């Protein structure tokens, strides 16, 4: 279903997907599409996007603080060493998405992350080099125009998969690219479209 930007009571036009949910709107306004260059933060977002598979993003977003506590604040150095006992404990944690394949995938992805960190200039550089270090700015007017994946997300998906990352299909990777500002997919009429690239990182949102 094609949707245009939505006018909110505060007088701002926003992408339609956050609806009127204050928490989701805050994520849209301060985080989604803002370029992220921190290695660990990029790993966290990629893993959470993997956990989203088959679910809605707001479901994951509301559980994000629980995920951070359960996964040692997404420190790849720790996650790469998770034992079967730790994975079993995570499977019993009602605060997160209890999917063994996804939990084990996070461990494998942490190992892939550490290899990339050892080999070159870092995970952030590895990813951002695909877009020459700056966001690809799209000019979409409706949500129907926004793709689920692109040839570039297919390429990045294959590169990550070859390095041992799990749950990094082209659609997941494209959602990740949108969220981390590698592509600016705010609708052109959304107030964040122009300001997105200039924003500073905001404090972490906490679920309510």
């Amino acid at each position: 279903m094609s949707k245009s930007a939505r006018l909110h009571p505060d007088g701002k036009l926003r992408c339609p997907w956050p609806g009127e949910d204050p928490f989701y709107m805050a994520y849209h306004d301060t985080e989604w599409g803002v370029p992220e260059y921190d290695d660990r933060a990029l790993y966290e977002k990629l893993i959470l996007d993997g956990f989203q598979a088959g679910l809605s993003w707001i479901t994951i977003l509301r559980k994000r603080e629980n995920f951070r506590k359960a996964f040692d604040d997404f420190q790849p150095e720790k996650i790469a060493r998770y034992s079967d006992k730790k994975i079993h404990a995570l499977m019993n944690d009602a605060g997160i998405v209890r999917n063994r394949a996804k939990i084990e995938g996070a461990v494998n992805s942490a190992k892939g992350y550490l290899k990339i960190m050892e080999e070159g200039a870092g995970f952030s550089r590895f990813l951002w080099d695909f877009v020459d270090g700056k966001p690809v700015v799209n000019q979409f007017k409706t949500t129907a125009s926004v793709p689920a994946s692109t040839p570039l997300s297919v390429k990045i998906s294959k590169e990550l998969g070859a390095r041992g990352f799990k749950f990094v299909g082209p659609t997941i990777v494209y959602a990740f690219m949108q969220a981390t500002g590698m592509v600016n997919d705010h609708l052109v009429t959304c107030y964040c479209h122009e300001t997105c690239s200039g924003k500073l990182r905001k404090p972490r949102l906490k679920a309510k």
Side-chain angles (χ1 to χ4, degrees), residues 2-206:
S2 178
K3 292 184 179 180
S4 302
R6 179 174 183 163
L7 181 63
H8 287 259
D10 61 5
K12 292 179 179 177
L13 281 165
R14 290 180 173 85
C15 298
W17 50 263
E20 298 289 342
D21 184 325
F23 183 61
Y24 214 7
M25 286 165 59
Y27 170 74
H28 166 276
D29 292 358
T30 65
E31 193 171 341
W32 194 80
V34 179
E36 176 62 79
Y37 293 98
D38 179 77
D39 295 309
R40 191 214 57 80
L42 287 165
Y43 166 79
E44 173 184 317
K45 186 63 179 64
L46 186 60
I47 296 306
L48 288 175
D49 272 323
F51 270 97
Q52 181 201 349
L55 303 168
S56 65
W57 174 242
I58 188 62
T59 298
I60 301 300
L61 194 62
R62 292 197 182 284
K63 294 177 179 287
R64 184 161 62 170
E65 288 302 317
N66 295 335
F67 271 104
R68 286 170 173 165
K69 290 174 186 174
F71 281 87
D72 293 292
D73 210 29
F74 286 99
Q75 298 178 65
E77 298 83 0
K78 290 187 176 181
I79 296 173
R81 299 195 302 269
Y82 278 3
S83 63
D84 288 340
K85 183 179 179 181
K86 172 66 174 179
I87 291 172
H88 181 73
L90 289 170
M91 284 295 294
N92 287 309
D93 189 336
I96 65 169
V97 174
R98 293 178 286 184
N99 180 300
R100 180 174 289 276
K102 291 178 180 179
I103 292 169
E104 292 176 346
V107 177
N108 285 324
S109 295
K111 293 174 182 177
Y113 170 97
L114 294 177
K115 287 179 183 176
I116 289 174
M117 293 298 287
E118 290 169 7
E119 292 170 0
F123 191 51
S124 177
R125 180 68 178 271
F126 167 79
L127 291 167
W128 279 94
D129 275 354
F130 284 103
V131 290
D132 297 324
K134 59 184 184 298
V136 174
V137 181
N138 290 319
Q139 304 289 331
F140 299 127
K141 294 179 180 178
T142 67
T143 54
S145 303
V146 182
S149 64
T150 63
L152 183 56
S153 77
V154 171
K155 181 179 180 181
I156 296 173
S157 170
K158 288 179 179 176
E159 290 287 343
L160 288 168
R163 286 166 170 76
F165 285 76
K166 302 297 181 183
F167 291 93
V168 288
T171 301
I172 289 173
V173 168
Y174 194 68
F176 166 79
M177 292 169 70
Q178 292 172 312
T180 58
M182 290 177 69
V183 294
N184 179 355
D185 272 359
H186 281 286
L187 301 184
V188 287
T189 45
C190 173
Y191 89 98
C192 291
H193 185 268
E194 285 189 20
T195 62
C196 201
S197 298
K199 284 185 180 177
L200 298 173
R201 296 305 306 154
K202 298 293 192 299
R204 289 179 168 185
L205 289 172
K206 291 193 175 182

